[in-house]
Amino acid sequence: MSEQNIHKNKETRGFQSEVKQLLHLMIHSLYSNKEIFLRELISNASDAADKLRFRALSQPDLYENNAELGVKLSFNEEAGTLTISDNGIGMTREDVIEHLGTIAKSGTKDFFAQLSDEQSKDSQLIGQFGVGFYSAFIVADAVTVNTRMAGVAADQAVRWHSTGEGDYSVEDIEKAERGTEIILHLRADEKEFLSEYRLRDIIGKYSDHIGIPVQIQTVECDEEGKETGKKWEQINKAQALWTRNKSEISDEEYQEFYKHVSHDFAEPLSWSHNRVEGTQDYTSLLYIPSKAPWDLNNRESKHGLKLYVQRVFIMDDAQQFMPSYLRFMRGLIDSNDLPLNVSREILQDNKVTQALRKACTKRALTMMDRLAKNDTEKYQTLWNEFGQVLKEGPAEDFANREKVAKLLRFSSTHTDSVEQTVSLGDYVERMKEGQDKIYFLTADSFTAAKNSPHLEQFRAKGLEVLLMHDRIDEWLMGHLPEFDGKSFQAITKADLDLSKFENEEEKEKHKETEEAFKSVIERTKSYLGERVQDVRTTFKLHDTPAVVVTGENEMGTQMAKLLAAAGHEAPEVKYILELNPEHALVIKMADEADEEVFGRWVEMLLGQAMLAERGSVEDPSQFLAAVNKLLS
């Protein structure tokens, strides 16, 4: 490669603190499988070629009379260097500083702060940020990058150099050829990568699917073994994997291609490769990851599929082809119906885009449904990683609400386990005879839900209740009115009626008790006044004297908390106090003739009910004073 150093405008810069941490982890902790550094660097070179091909659609001069894109590997045993070069888009000085000195992601500092020692050794760390370039330091004690952006003068090239410690240098150089050359100065114990056989093996294993030629420099010898020259030999197929026949592609090739498109280091849970011809002409290759990215819950973070048009790369993270609740899906779509000069703006309201989005969404949901039916263990992994965002689906995607609902998983009184393993289909199959509603309870935590007093009669009658303890659950249930023809019923609502599960003797007894208890209800109403919406008798309790509930159309406790947590002003929740007339404390209150002492009983029972429902009381001092006086 022709190059003349002019060593001007040289400066030394410090790495961003997150990069320092990342490099330290890689050099000292990560990767028992060191060879993946080569996969990452070749993958980056392929991306650079894709970007040049796209820009050259409108600026053909960027090819600089050389449209044959590829990656070349060479090594020097004497110098101990391995060189990976490409003739892709290249980088400017600003690009080099931004991409090789900084992890250009928000929130990385917080992410690193949360890493435990065990997590720090997790080989998926690099994939969390898509910064595979730094994997070069796994095997190299110094890295040099020479690069020139396509279309600029030879003397506007840049050299970046670092030993992977606290800083790096940047200087201007001359570079005749566009693209990027990465020189790895290998450590003394990593010389295995200075072997043609070893490099061929790694490329064949990880990079056969790359859509551009990957060549290695080989030595030509005569019959006596004397070197007569060198030549470049192509190693990979250089055919885009998704354009090949499915029957010709092995599982290993699909898995390696996933790592290429996603920059993930874990195996995918599942994938689906489809060629569609007809109204739309396109190919899709979709993957379900096995591990959530660190910023999954940030709806504003980049996500989406890689978009190709007629096998020409157009853009990363094309969000238009997947709804936000499926933002964890990875893969690509290659369309023959979109124009090659397509832009994000054109994609927004394009009919072809809408049709492709609908098809990709349907395909993704089908993949998950099959996984749920055929491999419950893998599906549980999917749910544990992505269940929170799938719960956004019923509100976001009305057309597929029933399909998404089938994929949801919850905790339940059937198992009393914090693990969310119960599907709505499972629940419906176990419903008691005569049961026409799906009962559920939302709470701050699984422990709070499991121990809620509202469950007492449900447990006694053998009625299963879904225990919802994710923050999003209250919002979810506001957009999921029914499933399989069965409506949902929050057990903390005042309209709850379990009389159909009682015999005639129980009904008659409750009617008599309620009639006899009317005067106590009226006394309690008179004492509380406007502090509650109403006071009623309830027979759904056993060990608990009182609970508070909300009206059928009133906002519940969890929704009020959700709005407050989001910074919105929530309306005041007016509760209905329900008293258990068969509980010893309520009977003691009912027998109290002294109105002042009666009021203390009311304060204590209301306070207990409020603590159980929302974790706080309106006036703690008033509550404690009543309790203390009753105890003394």
Side-chain angles (χ1 to χ4, degrees):
M1 183 172 290
S2 175
E3 178 189 310
Q4 177 186 352
N5 298 335
I6 55 177
H7 297 286
K8 67 177 184 180
N9 198 15
K10 185 173 183 178
E11 61 177 319
T12 299
R13 289 172 166 256
F15 278 117
Q16 181 196 41
S17 60
E18 286 84 352
V19 177
K20 291 181 184 178
Q21 290 175 273
L22 190 60
L23 290 171
H24 179 81
L25 286 171
M26 279 192 301
I27 295 169
H28 299 287
S29 304
L30 295 175
Y31 301 117
S32 56
N33 185 15
K34 296 181 178 181
E35 64 191 30
I36 55 84
F37 81 89
L38 191 56
R39 176 185 72 191
E40 289 303 297
L41 296 181
I42 292 176
S43 182
N44 287 349
S46 174
D47 289 345
D50 280 342
K51 289 178 171 64
L52 174 60
R53 192 180 286 118
F54 172 59
R55 291 194 191 178
L57 290 173
S58 57
Q59 304 174 66
D61 289 347
L62 292 179
Y63 279 131
E64 301 178 5
N65 299 316
N66 179 15
E68 296 296 322
L69 303 176
V71 187
K72 293 183 176 181
L73 276 73
S74 61
F75 58 88
N76 185 321
E77 290 186 70
E78 186 176 343
T81 59
L82 171 64
T83 301
I84 300 98
S85 61
D86 68 69
N87 59 348
I89 192 66
M91 291 182 282
T92 64
R93 188 185 185 96
E94 291 72 23
D95 291 335
V96 166
I97 293 171
E98 179 182 353
H99 297 306
L100 303 189
T102 305
I103 298 177
K105 298 271 188 175
S106 62
T108 52
K109 186 174 182 180
D110 292 338
F111 178 81
F112 274 108
Q114 294 169 11
L115 282 177
S116 67
D117 291 339
E118 190 62 32
Q119 288 173 312
S120 296
K121 296 175 182 177
D122 190 342
S123 64
Q124 296 178 34
L125 181 61
I126 309 306
Q128 297 281 349
F129 300 103
V131 285
F133 165 77
Y134 297 116
S135 63
F137 287 97
I138 298 170
V139 296
D141 53 22
V143 176
T144 302
V145 178
N146 299 318
T147 184
R148 176 171 70 78
M149 172 70 77
V152 304
D155 62 358
Q156 294 183 38
V158 184
R159 169 171 290 162
W160 180 97
H161 180 82
S162 178
T163 58
E165 298 297 330
D167 54 36
Y168 62 92
S169 65
V170 183
E171 62 182 301
D172 295 337
I173 61 170
E174 283 191 1
K175 186 173 185 296
E177 298 179 6
R178 70 164 188 270
T180 301
E181 175 186 66
I182 301 174
I183 304 168
L184 308 184
H185 304 269
L186 299 178
R187 294 193 182 88
D189 57 348
E190 305 295 352
K191 298 302 172 65
E192 64 174 289
F193 300 108
L194 300 177
S195 159
E196 180 183 331
Y197 175 81
R198 183 78 171 98
L199 295 174
R200 283 176 177 273
D201 179 62
I202 297 171
I203 293 167
K205 183 177 180 181
Y206 294 119
S207 305
D208 202 42
H209 60 268
I210 298 296
I212 57 175
V214 179
Q215 298 177 310
I216 192 168
Q217 191 175 56
T218 61
V219 176
E220 292 184 301
C221 299
D222 58 21
E223 294 179 357
E224 296 178 357
K226 290 183 178 181
E227 182 178 333
T228 58
K230 294 182 179 180
K231 67 173 183 177
W232 293 103
E233 183 179 338
Q234 183 173 322
I235 302 172
N236 67 329
K237 290 187 178 73
Q239 180 183 1
L241 179 134
W242 69 91
T243 65
R244 294 162 53 190
N245 192 301
K246 289 193 288 185
S247 62
E248 299 173 356
I249 307 172
S250 67
D251 287 354
E252 290 74 20
E253 287 178 299
Y254 276 122
Q255 290 165 351
E256 284 306 321
F257 187 72
Y258 164 75
K259 294 171 184 176
H260 167 66
V261 297
S262 68
H263 294 288
D264 193 355
F265 284 74
E267 304 289 349
L269 284 175
S270 181
W271 59 86
S272 180
H273 184 186
N274 293 277
R275 178 82 175 92
V276 178
E277 295 176 323
T279 308
Q280 281 90 38
D281 189 359
Y282 70 93
T283 298
S284 66
L285 178 50
L286 305 181
Y287 289 92
I288 301 175
S290 59
K291 189 73 176 174
W294 67 280
D295 57 352
L296 176 68
N297 291 320
N298 180 5
R299 290 173 61 92
E300 303 304 316
S301 64
K302 286 186 177 181
H303 63 272
L305 305 178
K306 283 182 177 287
L307 173 62
Y308 290 78
V309 174
Q310 299 169 37
R311 288 165 297 285
V312 175
F313 171 79
I314 303 299
M315 68 180 74
D316 283 307
D317 307 315
Q319 300 182 19
Q320 293 83 356
F321 299 100
M322 279 289 177
S324 183
Y325 72 94
L326 295 178
R327 57 186 175 271
F328 57 87
M329 295 294 295
R330 295 291 180 263
L332 62 85
I333 187 164
D334 187 347
S335 171
N336 285 337
D337 299 318
L338 289 165
L340 275 171
N341 63 344
V342 68
S343 67
R344 292 188 185 274
E345 289 70 29
I346 292 175
L347 285 177
Q348 297 297 334
D349 300 309
N350 187 289
K351 288 185 178 180
V352 175
T353 302
Q354 295 170 9
L356 292 176
R357 176 189 175 97
K358 183 177 179 180
C360 286
T361 301
K362 181 180 178 182
R363 176 64 55 186
L365 294 176
T366 299
M367 289 171 67
M368 286 183 275
D369 184 57
R370 287 176 180 169
L371 200 63
K373 291 176 179 176
N374 301 328
D375 195 328
T376 54
E377 186 176 342
K378 278 190 176 181
Y379 187 77
Q380 195 59 43
T381 298
L382 180 153
W383 181 258
N384 292 342
E385 294 293 323
F386 309 113
Q388 290 279 327
V389 295
L390 269 178
K391 285 182 177 180
E392 299 171 11
E396 185 179 339
D397 189 356
F398 181 82
N400 290 300
R401 188 168 62 186
E402 189 78 7
K403 290 180 180 178
V404 177
K406 288 181 180 180
L407 299 171
L408 302 178
R409 297 293 183 268
F410 303 98
S411 300
S412 152
T413 54
H414 180 71
T415 60
D416 269 347
S417 169
V418 68
E419 286 290 318
Q420 298 181 16
T421 60
V422 176
S423 72
L424 295 177
D426 294 335
Y427 182 101
V428 170
E429 283 184 8
R430 290 193 292 264
M431 286 173 65
K432 290 178 71 73
E433 185 177 350
Q435 182 181 346
D436 59 356
K437 295 183 185 299
I438 299 173
Y439 297 112
F440 72 94
L441 168 70
T442 57
D444 287 332
S445 66
F446 172 72
T447 301
K450 180 183 176 182
N451 298 316
S452 171
H454 292 284
L455 293 173
E456 290 176 2
Q457 279 301 307
F458 286 88
R459 292 190 186 278
K461 298 180 186 301
L463 292 168
E464 184 176 357
V465 178
L466 298 175
L467 305 177
M468 302 185 180
H469 47 90
D470 289 335
R471 174 162 284 186
I472 194 176
D473 285 335
E474 184 78 20
W475 182 79
L476 163 68
M477 298 315 295
H479 296 86
L480 193 61
E482 64 175 26
F483 175 79
D484 195 23
K486 308 289 191 301
S487 60
F488 287 89
Q489 171 70 60
I491 68 170
T492 57
K493 291 295 184 180
D495 60 330
L496 179 67
D497 181 10
L498 298 180
S499 61
K500 68 171 62 179
F501 302 106
E502 299 172 350
N503 56 41
E504 291 303 316
E505 185 179 342
E506 287 176 314
K507 290 180 182 178
E508 187 62 30
K509 180 184 175 184
H510 290 163
K511 187 175 181 181
E512 291 174 1
T513 304
E514 187 172 5
E515 185 66 28
F517 203 67
K518 275 187 176 180
S519 61
V520 180
I521 295 296
E522 291 304 319
R523 284 179 76 190
T524 308
K525 282 184 183 180
S526 176
Y527 176 81
L528 290 174
E530 296 297 316
R531 290 168 60 186
V532 295
Q533 184 179 333
D534 199 2
V535 181
R536 299 177 183 176
T537 304
T538 184
F539 297 98
K540 69 182 181 184
L541 301 174
H542 186 268
D543 298 323
T544 302
V547 292
V548 290
V549 297
T550 52
E552 181 181 1
N553 298 315
E554 295 287 326
M555 179 180 294
T557 301
Q558 294 306 311
M559 180 56 76
K561 288 183 176 181
L562 188 65
L563 290 174
H568 301 295
E569 187 174 342
E572 181 186 0
V573 179
K574 274 282 190 178
Y575 289 101
I576 297 169
L577 175 64
E578 294 190 340
L579 298 174
N580 176 4
E582 298 174 335
H583 194 278
L585 290 181
V586 178
I587 293 172
K588 195 169 182 66
M589 179 187 79
D591 292 339
E592 181 57 60
D594 187 308
E595 289 301 320
E596 183 178 349
V597 178
F598 180 85
R600 293 172 192 161
W601 280 108
V602 175
E603 291 292 349
M604 185 188 74
L605 294 178
L606 176 63
Q608 285 184 350
M610 294 295 280
L611 282 172
E613 176 63 20
R614 68 180 192 183
S616 64
V617 292
E618 192 172 321
D619 187 344
S621 61
Q622 185 178 16
F623 169 68
L624 291 172
V627 172
N628 290 336
K629 286 179 181 178
L630 287 174
L631 289 175
S632 61

